[in-house]
Amino acid sequence: MQKCSPGYVFFVSVTKFIRIGIADKNDNPPFFDKALYEAEVDENEDIQHTVLTVTAKDHDECEY
């Protein structure tokens, strides 16, 4: 059990870094809109809850 002094809020924070690697089979590598994506999850969130969706684009697949 955690005890806090009156007037103080106690919380625990955990940070996780996830690196996503994508293999490419042709001449143009896939790319993301941003170099870094950040998200937060409430501790009471459902287990199967989607936290963040990231999409990679590839010049070989689409016209830009």
Side-chain angles (χ1 to χ4, degrees):
M1 178 178 204
Q2 300 290 337
K3 293 183 179 181
C4 299
S5 300
Y8 290 93
V9 177
F10 178 81
F11 64 94
V12 175
S13 176
V14 176
T15 301
K16 296 289 181 181
F17 294 94
I18 300 170
R19 180 176 296 252
I20 299 173
I22 299 177
D24 188 38
K25 294 183 178 182
N26 46 34
D27 57 342
N28 291 309
F31 61 95
F32 298 93
D33 290 332
K34 297 193 231 178
L36 176 68
Y37 291 83
E38 296 183 57
E40 294 183 8
V41 180
D42 185 72
E43 68 177 312
N44 298 320
E45 198 60 69
D46 291 335
I47 292 174
Q48 295 294 322
H49 177 77
T50 300
V51 176
L52 180 68
T53 300
V54 178
T55 302
K57 297 176 184 171
D58 188 331
H59 285 294
D60 293 317
E61 296 293 326
C62 302
E63 297 277 332
Y64 290 96

